[in-house]
Amino acid sequence: MPAIRFPSTRRTWWAAWTVLAVSAAGFALYGAPAYLTGDRALSRIPLNPEIVLHYLYLVSHALPASLILLLGPLQFVPALRNKYPRLHRVVGRVYMINVLIASVAAVLAATFTVSGFPVQVAFYLLTAAWLYSLAQAYLAIRRRQIQVHRVWMIRNYALSFAAVVLRVFLLLGLAVRSRYDWLTFDDIYTSSVWASILVSAGVGEWFIVQRVLRPRARRKPEPAVAAASPS
């Protein structure tokens, strides 16, 4: 029987990485300039008119988050990690600092959101998971647990990428709304926020299994199980 040929895993990985990097860069370069002008009317997120600093909180979150989206894909390229380990560490520190800044700003922005309590809860949980995964990644690399560090950084960037997924779901929801008048924007936005978090986290876990755990499991042979002799 002829052998069945599957697409190259390496080629598939690079295709997935390219889609990730291009979409992250596109979102960051599209969204960040609106917050560099200081014009509140250009905000991508509805502002709370009763909170003067709400726009500042969004700016403090959007700009570091955009940099995180740009830097993240570079950290997952094995050739760059191996050939330029010092650069990898420097970029990692910049990434970590920006997550901390963006997280504090995200909590403040979510506190005064006009999108409702369910969205507020979703952003609080997302920020908590974002900080927790970053802390675990930092502790792991301090202990020189490189594989554990990579697993937690995959989780962290998956949560970062939820911002991109949110916009995709939002566009799809608005397209559906054009055919169903009973759908409101608040319904679509709330559903998109929760779906983006769940889908991003789920894809991150799938990637961990496929790229980290499965290769390691294949390298380790199953221990021989001795047959029990009859007494």
Side-chain angles (χ1 to χ4, degrees), residues 31-111:
Y35 295 99
L36 292 172
T37 63
D39 187 351
R40 296 168 60 91
L42 297 178
S43 176
R44 308 292 185 189
I45 297 175
L47 297 174
N48 189 329
E50 298 179 359
I51 306 299
V52 177
L53 294 178
H54 193 205
Y55 178 73
L56 178 60
Y57 299 151
L58 291 175
V59 171
S60 301
H61 170 73
L63 296 182
S66 297
L67 185 58
I68 289 166
L69 287 174
L70 289 172
L71 295 178
L74 300 177
Q75 296 295 83
F76 296 116
V77 179
L80 292 178
R81 289 200 309 263
N82 299 332
K83 191 174 182 180
Y84 304 104
R86 182 173 296 179
L87 177 62
H88 178 77
R89 289 193 292 270
V90 170
V91 173
R93 292 189 184 103
V94 173
Y95 181 100
M96 181 180 69
I97 292 171
N98 278 273
V99 170
L100 294 174
I101 296 172
S103 296
V104 174
V107 171
L108 294 172
T111 300

Side-chain angles (χ1 to χ4, degrees), residues 5 7 45 49 56 61 65 72 80 82 134 136 145 148 150 155-156 163 171-172 181 188 190-191 197 209 222 228:
R5 296 182 178 274
I45 297 175
L56 178 60
H61 170 73
L80 292 178
N82 299 332
L134 183 72
Q136 292 299 319
Q145 299 171 336
V148 176
R150 289 176 183 169
R155 287 172 175 151
N156 187 270
L171 289 175
L172 293 174
D181 296 336
I188 294 170
T190 301
S191 300
I197 297 172
V209 171
E222 292 291 334

